[in-house]
């Protein structure tokens, strides 16, 4: 098939209506997974050193963590401590939140588009190539790989 559209992650959002400790912990862990998956996806297509931002809400309070993978390692760096938190129930907090989202849409998405243009041809070539090893993502492939690597004993 002729693929003409690819969505690239700039922002991940996790929203919980009711503030509470258990909901906040769930939102935090879910957002960590979203951010990790986003930067790993970008790494897979050849983009590193690019931050993907997150929005974690706990009622009217919004926190803005980020994640990035650097060129020289395969480690996801999550930035969650001392990140910007805004109370969007106030006019000032809502305005700052809207400005941050606008800047992400304008500046960060533009930077991602530029980075993608640099790796686009290599990605297309590797997708058409039958010789390049690709990571298999189905549970069947994962089980087989774990058993071969002796990392897990599966029934």
């Amino acid at each position: 098939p002729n693929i003409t559209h690819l969505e690239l992650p700039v922002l991940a959002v996790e929203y919980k209506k009711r503030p509470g400790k258990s909901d906040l912990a769930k939102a935090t862990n879910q957002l960590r997974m979203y951010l990790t998956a986003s930067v790993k996806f970008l790494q897979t297509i050849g983009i590193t050193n690019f931050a993907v931002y997150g929005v974690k809400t706990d009622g009217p309070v919004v926190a803005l963590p980020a994640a990035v993978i650097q060129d020289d390692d395969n480690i996801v760096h999550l930035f969650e401590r001392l990140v910007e938190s805004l109370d969007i129930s106030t006019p000032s907090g809502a305005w700052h939140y809207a400005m941050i989202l606008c800047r992400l849409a304008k500046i960060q998405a533009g930077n991602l588009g530029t980075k993608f243009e640099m790796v686009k041809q290599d990605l297309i070539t590797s997708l058409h190539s039958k010789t390049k090893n690709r990571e298999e993502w189905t549970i069947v492939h994962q089980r087989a790989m774990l058993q071969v690597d002796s990392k897990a004993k599966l029934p």
Side-chain angles (χ1 to χ4, degrees):
N2 186 10
I3 299 171
T4 59
H5 187 76
L6 177 65
E7 293 188 13
L8 301 174
V10 174
L11 182 73
V13 178
E14 182 56 34
Y15 172 73
K16 297 293 182 198
K17 280 186 189 179
R18 293 172 283 131
K21 278 198 175 230
S22 67
D23 285 338
L24 183 59
K26 288 178 186 175
T28 300
N29 286 331
Q30 287 171 337
L31 188 58
R32 285 176 183 155
M33 288 187 292
Y34 300 157
L35 291 173
T36 300
S38 296
V39 294
K40 291 298 280 182
F41 171 73
L42 291 176
Q43 181 190 38
T44 301
I45 63 173
I47 298 173
T48 55
N49 295 324
F50 184 82
V52 175
Y53 292 88
V55 174
K56 176 181 65 177
T57 65
D58 185 28
V61 178
V62 176
L64 302 161
V68 67
I69 293 181
Q70 297 176 345
D71 280 341
D72 55 350
D73 63 19
N74 195 25
I75 299 170
V76 176
H77 300 274
L78 288 168
F79 300 94
E80 301 177 305
R81 295 181 190 267
L82 303 174
V83 297
E84 187 70 31
S85 291
L86 304 166
D87 183 354
I88 59 173
S89 67
T90 67
S92 173
W95 185 83
H96 280 101
Y97 179 60
M99 289 299 102
I100 289 169
L101 293 180
C102 288
R103 291 177 64 95
L104 284 174
K106 179 78 175 163
I107 298 169
Q108 193 72 351
N111 292 342
L112 182 55
T114 302
K115 281 189 167 252
F116 180 68
E117 285 302 319
M118 293 171 20
V119 300
K120 182 178 174 180
Q121 196 54 49
D122 291 340
L123 175 63
I124 292 169
T125 303
S126 72
L127 290 173
H128 288 298
S129 170
K130 300 294 183 198
T131 60
K132 181 165 172 128
N133 291 336
R134 291 196 193 99
E135 191 74 31
E136 301 290 350
W137 291 100
T138 67
I139 190 67
V140 174
H141 291 108
Q142 289 177 2
R143 288 174 63 100
M145 189 178 350
L146 285 172
Q147 286 176 334
V148 167
D149 290 345
S150 300
K151 292 180 183 174
K153 304 281 189 244
L154 302 171

